[in-house]
Amino acid sequence: MAELKSLSGEAYLALSHGYSAAAAGLAYGAARGPDAARGYGAPGPGGDLPAVPAPRAPAPAAESSGEQSGDEDDAFEQRRRRRGPGGAGDARRRPREQRSLRLSINARERRRMHDLNDALDGLRAVIPYAHSPSVRKLSKIATLLLAKNYILMQAQALDEMRRLVAFLNRGQGLAAPVATAAPLTPFGQASVCPFSSGAALGPCPDKCAAFSGTPSALCKHCTEKP
DNA sequence: TAGGCCATCTGGTCCT
DNA sequence: AGGACCAGATGGCCTA
């Protein structure tokens, strides 16, 4: 598996305060160190499966999906001893049957978590951020936050496009089916300026200023520096 | 060394 | 009964 690292505070701010692909990219770039390759590889004694060799390759790899190595029993006892009475482990001695049941439950849970991680990897693959090998992998929480903001941004862009289409259609004397096609938008009808993303870019010298005066990221004039 | 992130184990709960 | 899901606990790895 690749490498993990926490995001800086700024990066999290960028994530939680609306989404901007460029901004997010910058934030992540800055938050990420140049190094990487944190091969989780050796789960080491990590977790509770000391016997399982490096199950965390990016590839489904030797998915430890359930099978236990020969040392499993010993490992199990060690875990129990380590956890002690207060731990999650059962203090009493288990019959072998219960133990094997436990092991199979563990394997199932492990598989489930791996599936979840695969899904997160899939999500990382489709959200815009630097996918370079030198760039650290997004953490789980960052992935979810970024995906959420990305969806919101896309929805907003779509909404704005609909308004733009409606506006242009009206300009050509066409009926505006878009008004009904886009019930989400409060600008769905009438001669309201279709551009209105809320970007603080100053008054639009052209259409936007003539209507709502609200600048838009989709409007060429709005995005141009005065 | 502290803090963040993660994988795994485990027991509990709910659903089929 | 068995499986899925969840949350708490534990311990390892890594970076600042």
Side-chain angles (χ1 to χ4, degrees):
Chain A
M1 193 157 284
E3 49 294 346
L4 302 158
K5 186 201 176 280
S6 54
L7 289 170
S8 70
E10 304 92 281
Y12 270 119
L13 277 179
L15 285 175
S16 47
H17 295 217
Y19 178 86
S20 153
L26 283 175
Y28 277 101
R32 227 162 273 127
D35 73 296
R38 165 194 179 170
Y40 278 117
D48 289 276
L49 273 184
V52 181
R56 301 178 195 171
E63 158 56 309
S64 53
S65 73
E67 63 284 89
Q68 324 290 343
S69 76
D71 306 335
E72 280 293 309
D73 286 355
D74 287 345
F76 184 88
E77 286 306 319
Q78 285 172 4
R79 286 194 299 273
R80 278 212 310 142
R81 262 181 258 121
R82 187 169 60 221
R83 294 236 163 106
D90 192 351
R92 66 196 157 77
R93 177 109 190 142
R94 301 156 185 255
R96 198 159 191 83
E97 190 177 325
Q98 284 188 16
R99 179 181 305 178
S100 77
L101 174 63
R102 220 328 131 186
L103 290 178
S104 101
I105 292 174
N106 290 351
R108 216 166 36 236
E109 175 67 7
R110 212 154 45 226
R111 215 176 308 133
R112 194 181 70 85
M113 295 309 294
H114 287 179
D115 288 346
L116 182 61
N117 288 337
D118 286 347
L120 272 167
D121 283 340
L123 188 55
R124 284 186 190 99
V126 297
I127 56 181
Y129 79 103
H131 289 91
S132 148
S134 63
V135 171
R136 222 174 295 271
K137 193 172 85 171
L138 284 177
S139 70
K140 293 180 176 180
I141 181 68
T143 299
L144 293 175
L145 290 172
L146 188 56
K148 185 198 81 171
N149 289 330
Y150 183 53
I151 290 169
L152 291 176
M153 185 204 70
Q154 295 288 359
Q156 181 182 341
L158 179 61
D159 186 46
E160 202 160 319
M161 283 299 237
R162 282 178 175 150
R163 275 184 267 128
L164 176 58
V165 168
F167 177 76
L168 293 176
N169 283 346
R170 283 204 176 73
Q172 297 175 359
L174 299 176
V178 178
T180 54
L184 318 166
T185 164
F187 302 95
Q189 63 280 100
S191 55
V192 180
C193 177
F195 309 107
S196 63
S197 80
L201 298 169
C204 175
D206 191 26
K207 294 175 181 165
C208 289
F211 290 85
S212 68
T214 312
S216 166
L218 288 179
C219 172
K220 160 168 108 69
H221 298 286
C222 288
T223 53
E224 277 174 357
K225 292 278 183 186

